[in-house]
Amino acid sequence: MDSRRRPAGFLTQANALLRKNLCLQKRNLKTNIGITIFPILICVLLLVLQNIINNELDKPKYNCGCACVDTDMYGTCRKRECGVQYSTLEQVWSCAIPSPPRWPALIQVPQPQFRAVRTVSQPFDDLPDPSCRDSLSCPASVLITGKDRGFAESVAGGLFPVFAPTLNVTDYLDALSRIVVGSDTIPGYTQLVEPAFSSSDTLYLLQPQCVPFLSQTISYNARGIPLQLNIQCVEGVLLWRESTSVINDELLKGYIQRGGKTNEFIAGYDFLSSTEYGLGINVWYNSTYGGKTAFSFIAALRVPRLVNAVSNAYLKYIRGPGMEVLLEYVKDMPKVGTSYRFDLSSLISPLFFTWIVELLFPVSMMRCNIP
């Protein structure tokens, strides 16, 4: 008989390891109960928090606005309608919009207290006097440059068409497409609603020279959406600069984040080598209104009207005042009704999963010495 000890077989080793682990787990009963219950508590907590968030987002202020359009003789509502016309600016994003409204193309006008004036760092004689800020009556300035000063100034002189008293203001889309109107409101990240028309803010009518009758209030109904247009005339001033570097320096010195006082211009135009036979321009505009950060949507900047204004001015200069290229409106794409949802589990479940897995590490690394 061979007295040498043979290595234990697989079943013997598995049986010994199982008994060892059972011994260890029996000695740590409370720890095992905690490890088992912790994931269950995490899941319950996630479920409760998700329900609380969903209940909050289901409130009317986060859903498409509705109104009663038909009542019986006792005042009971028989028919309710929901839509953009019954919604606030916060509610409109959840509405179904099969045919988005058309909005006039506006330009971004600086707020009255931030419009460019003559300062120590910008001592140009053609800039307005700083005293105009006290009465909030400063004009809005546009910087221009180019190789041919006479040609550039002649074309730029038509950037702000004169408002004609015979203009049909009952069709506000047509009327505002033939003149240049702007707003100092922050643009939205979609064009389903134009913020300039969803509040009581002022629309600025840019003119070479203002007359009293141009500032007025007009009530209008745009496809079921009641609008009250508070129109104020603002003088648009064209300022010539010798080169693009001068314009760049002037725009930088008036930038709000550079320090000092904000000195903001509507835009800048470089006519390059444009002639009667061809138009080529560079346009400066304030892109900081776009809110281009990693934490927010990029806004739809009011740039199309800037390009259309100079194109229209050039066409009229070449072909006469009877020629014009109209930018009638801007609009967004149709959208279905949506609801606000916030998936909490997708946001924090990786953290909870890591915690649960790490709880198993001490257990797997423990050893039980059995004699």
Side-chain angles (χ1 to χ4, degrees):
M1 183 176 182
D2 190 358
S3 59
R4 289 178 299 175
R5 299 185 64 177
R6 298 179 179 179
F10 173 77
L11 294 178
T12 303
Q13 293 183 21
N15 182 52
L17 183 60
L18 177 63
R19 291 175 180 273
K20 174 183 175 181
N21 287 334
L22 288 176
C23 175
L24 177 63
Q25 302 305 328
K26 186 176 180 180
R27 295 176 183 177
N28 296 278
L29 182 62
K30 294 181 180 180
T31 301
N32 291 331
I33 293 175
I35 293 175
T36 304
I37 294 178
F38 184 72
I40 299 175
L41 293 177
I42 292 295
C43 293
V44 172
L45 178 62
L46 282 175
L47 182 63
V48 172
L49 290 177
Q50 188 66 61
N51 287 333
I52 293 175
I53 293 174
N54 290 342
N55 291 334
E56 181 67 22
L57 294 179
D58 285 335
K59 292 182 177 179
K61 65 179 180 179
Y62 297 113
N63 291 282
C64 189
C66 302
C68 180
V69 296
D70 187 20
T71 58
D72 58 19
M73 59 183 302
Y74 301 104
T76 304
C77 184
R78 294 189 298 187
K79 182 180 179 181
R80 289 174 60 85
E81 286 186 359
C82 300
V84 177
Q85 63 271 31
Y86 308 116
S87 303
T88 63
L89 188 59
E90 290 76 19
Q91 292 175 315
V92 71
W93 312 114
S94 60
C95 296
I97 309 179
S99 180
R102 302 173 178 180
W103 300 107
L106 308 178
I107 65 172
Q108 191 70 46
V109 178
Q111 297 182 20
Q113 66 272 28
F114 297 135
R115 292 174 190 162
V117 295
R118 191 165 53 254
T119 62
V120 175
S121 61
Q122 294 171 281
F124 293 95
D125 294 334
D126 54 359
L127 284 171
D129 189 87
S131 60
C132 67
R133 287 188 172 181
D134 298 333
S135 58
L136 301 180
S137 60
C138 294
S141 304
V142 175
L143 300 176
I144 59 173
T145 189
K147 289 188 176 181
D148 187 340
R149 178 172 181 174
F151 177 83
E153 289 183 332
S154 297
V155 174
L159 282 175
F160 306 128
V162 178
F163 180 84
T166 58
L167 201 61
N168 181 18
V169 294
T170 57
D171 186 351
Y172 87 111
L173 273 178
D174 180 72
L176 297 184
S177 67
R178 299 177 185 275
I179 52 179
V180 176
V181 180
S183 173
D184 58 13
T185 58
I186 303 298
Y189 68 90
T190 73
Q191 292 178 327
L192 294 173
V193 172
E194 169 56 67
F197 294 95
S198 61
S199 61
S200 58
D201 289 309
T202 301
L203 287 179
Y204 298 110
L205 173 60
L206 292 162
Q207 292 287 283
Q209 186 174 1
C210 287
V211 291
F213 78 90
L214 292 178
S215 298
Q216 54 183 301
T217 300
I218 301 175
S219 297
Y220 189 77
N221 189 288
R223 302 182 63 180
I225 304 175
L227 301 176
Q228 185 171 358
L229 310 180
N230 300 316
I231 299 178
Q232 178 182 338
C233 182
V234 173
E235 183 180 354
V237 178
L238 305 174
L239 306 178
W240 171 261
R241 295 294 180 262
E242 293 300 329
S243 65
T244 58
S245 60
V246 175
I247 293 182
N248 284 328
D249 182 66
E250 194 165 356
L251 293 176
L252 178 61
K253 288 180 178 179
Y255 183 42
I256 187 172
Q257 294 183 6
R258 188 179 182 272
K261 292 184 178 182
T262 303
N263 231 26
E264 192 174 344
F265 298 85
I266 293 179
Y269 290 99
D270 181 6
F271 283 82
L272 303 173
S273 300
S274 298
T275 65
E276 297 179 358
Y277 304 101
L279 174 67
I281 58 170
N282 287 333
V283 182
W284 287 272
Y285 61 90
N286 192 342
S287 64
T288 57
Y289 286 100
K292 189 176 181 180
T293 67
F295 310 103
S296 63
F297 295 101
I298 300 175
L301 295 174
R302 299 180 175 118
V303 177
R305 176 60 77 190
L306 292 176
V307 179
N308 172 257
V310 69
S311 301
N312 209 14
Y314 177 77
L315 186 61
K316 288 183 177 181
Y317 175 77
I318 299 299
R319 295 295 183 90
M323 276 291 182
E324 56 187 351
V325 49
L326 298 181
L327 176 58
E328 293 187 352
Y329 59 86
V330 293
K331 62 181 294 186
D332 214 311
M333 296 293 290
K335 68 177 290 288
V336 298
T338 55
S339 57
Y340 289 99
R341 283 293 175 264
F342 181 78
D343 191 356
L344 182 64
S345 61
S346 298
L347 182 64
I348 61 178
S349 58
L351 175 62
F352 288 158
F353 176 78
T354 304
W355 287 352
I356 293 171
V357 171
E358 288 178 349
L359 284 174
L360 303 177
F361 287 168
V363 176
S364 62
M365 298 180 66
M366 287 181 180
R367 294 293 182 270
C368 180
N369 297 322
I370 302 178

